[in-house]
Amino acid sequence: MSKLYYMPTKVIMGNGCIAANSGLLADMGKKALIVTGRHSAKANGSLVDVIAVLNANKQEYVIFDSVMANPTIECAYAGAAFARENSADFVIAIGGGSPMDAAKAMALLARQDIREEDLFSGVYSGDVLPMAFVPTTAGTGSEVTQYSILTNHKAETKTSIASPVIFPKLAFLDARYMEGLSYTTTINTAIDALSHSVEGMLSNRASTISDSLAMESIRLIASCFESLKNRSLTREQRESLLYASTLAGMVIANTGTTAVHAMGYSLTYYKDIDHGRANGLLLAAFLGFVEKSLPDRVRTILSGMKLSAVKEFSSVLEDLLGEKESISMDEKIK
Ligand code: NAP
Ligand code: FE
């Protein structure tokens, strides 16, 4: 069977990489729609850095700064309308997976009239505002994926727009923006990235290229387990986690996610459990389940973490996640 690997996003890494590569933003367009969450981009220095480059390039911008966690379909339409009203011709997303995913849908909807019932059809033209992304959590890898995952109240879950037309053109990885990220979010997002790579290793669509990226990201994230647990990450470890999460994004851009993410969306929707944490609650049990049919594959994944049994992995996750939420039998049946 032939395998495909595709990655159209240009990735630039390093401290100060936005300012050092200002010409790349200059080529994006005349007026940016900057998409952020409510607070963090203003507090961690990323928004100021982006605006400084836009001003130096004499590019205009407007800011849509009300993306909530697990962004809704309504938020995507509101951002797209704002982009149209202001004649924005490119998009810059700054933040975690929520602003990045919302920005992809806005870039699509700003150029194409798509009814809500057709939003997840997968049928779109290639006419989408070009996008540059600045991730400020190390987890989702959304800066290098073709997925925009939106809270869908009608379906009572989270639903993905998945199309190559919404790959960002540029991703700027600067770990300095993560220095003030809480350990709760740091741990949840690191587990999200780990889950992407583990699920990618177990996907039918895995290839030798996606396996190489997945194993490198698993190794890097596992090298931070102890510091995550002790809440003592160094600057270099934050850089490793950011790099690892982008690698894991490249993995799922090619393999997709599997049962862990599919089940995790319900935990987020019904129980308001953070996305990465929801995956973490399910990941060890999933690995144990798959071990029966794919023992070699699971052994390879565990060896990347310097572990020899799923049980050991389970206790690492327990240490990182703390006390688990409980779900009643009634809720499970629902
Ligand atoms: P998030 O919802 O984007 O952000 C979580 C929290 O962290 C927010 O309160 C945010 O504040 C704050 N924050 C972000 N960066 C910060 C920083 N540098 N310093 C301090 N606080 C910061 O969480 P996420 O886990 O990154 O993203 C989750 C979303 O991504 C979910 O909707 C999930 O479905 C999606 N996802 C997408 C993909 C994909 O391939 N597209 C893959 C996995 C997950 P502000 O709100 O103020 O910014
Ligand atoms: Fe995820």
Side-chain angles (χ1 to χ4, degrees):
M1 197 173 70
S2 56
K3 301 272 185 181
L4 173 78
Y5 180 80
Y6 179 61
M7 182 38 57
T9 307
K10 186 179 279 188
V11 178
I12 303 104
M13 301 190 287
N15 292 343
C17 62
I18 302 175
N21 294 275
S22 57
L24 292 174
L25 279 185
D27 291 341
M28 295 287 287
K30 290 191 171 62
K31 186 169 185 179
L33 169 73
I34 302 178
V35 181
T36 71
R38 294 212 167 89
H39 175 70
S40 70
K42 296 181 191 88
N44 63 32
S46 51
L47 181 61
V48 166
D49 284 358
V50 166
I51 289 174
V53 167
L54 293 176
N55 285 337
N57 287 345
K58 299 199 172 9
Q59 290 166 292
E60 292 181 74
Y61 62 87
V62 286
I63 303 178
F64 185 94
D65 63 358
S66 51
V67 179
M68 67 293 282
N70 304 301
T72 57
I73 293 171
E74 294 72 25
C75 170
Y77 276 97
F82 185 68
R84 286 184 189 215
E85 279 156 28
N86 288 285
S87 307
D89 60 1
F90 70 108
V91 173
I92 303 175
I94 309 171
S98 298
M100 290 194 285
D101 278 10
K104 288 176 188 168
M106 291 172 192
L108 175 74
L109 292 167
R111 294 303 284 257
Q112 299 180 39
D113 293 314
I114 303 171
R115 292 178 314 172
E116 197 181 317
E117 51 270 39
D118 298 328
L119 185 56
F120 303 104
S121 67
V123 182
Y124 320 107
S125 84
D127 186 16
V128 176
L129 294 180
M131 290 171 262
F133 278 23
V134 182
T136 66
T137 61
T140 70
S142 181
E143 67 277 8
V144 290
T145 72
Q146 71 280 43
Y147 311 124
S148 163
I149 302 161
L150 301 175
T151 297
N152 182 345
H153 289 301
K154 287 196 183 115
E156 295 192 15
T157 187
K158 298 180 72 177
T159 313
S160 302
I161 302 174
S163 168
V165 302
I166 57 167
F167 267 112
K169 285 212 178 332
L170 296 173
F172 292 101
L173 312 186
D174 188 334
R176 291 175 312 160
Y177 303 136
M178 280 160 226
E179 275 163 21
L181 190 63
S182 73
Y183 269 91
T184 303
T185 304
T186 303
I187 288 171
N188 290 344
T189 46
I191 292 175
D192 187 25
L194 181 66
S195 194
H196 295 160
S197 285
V198 169
E199 290 177 68
M201 286 289 292
L202 299 172
S203 163
N204 289 332
R205 286 157 59 193
S207 68
T208 48
I209 302 177
S210 67
D211 283 356
S212 308
L213 301 173
M215 287 307 294
E216 176 66 356
S217 94
I218 289 169
R219 191 188 64 72
L220 286 168
I221 296 165
S223 74
C224 297
F225 279 162
E226 208 49 39
S227 303
L228 283 167
K229 194 173 118 186
N230 301 329
R231 300 175 172 242
S232 61
L233 286 173
T234 62
R235 163 80 75 87
E236 288 71 30
Q237 284 178 312
R238 287 231 178 246
E239 281 171 6
S240 291
L241 288 175
L242 178 56
Y243 175 51
S245 84
T246 299
L247 293 182
M250 292 172 175
V251 172
I252 58 165
N254 287 278
T255 64
T257 52
T258 62
V260 176
H261 268 67
M263 293 189 287
Y265 293 146
S266 294
L267 288 181
T268 299
Y269 190 85
Y270 290 114
K271 303 286 286 183
D272 200 23
I273 297 173
D274 179 273
H275 172 70
R277 181 176 175 85
N279 295 330
L281 293 170
L282 300 160
L283 191 55
F286 179 67
L287 210 56
F289 177 75
V290 174
E291 192 179 27
K292 292 174 203 130
S293 46
L294 296 172
D296 292 346
R297 211 66 188 149
V298 170
R299 206 172 307 124
T300 304
I301 292 167
L302 290 171
S303 73
M305 296 189 266
K306 296 199 165 82
L307 301 173
S308 51
V310 174
K311 243 189 195 164
E312 289 171 23
F313 180 50
S314 187
S315 81
V316 168
L317 285 178
E318 268 167 31
D319 282 348
L320 292 176
L321 293 170
E323 198 184 332
K324 290 184 182 172
E325 293 77 356
S326 64
I327 297 178
S328 71
M329 197 46 83
D330 284 355
E331 286 174 299
K332 283 180 191 161
I333 289 163
K334 187 182 180 194

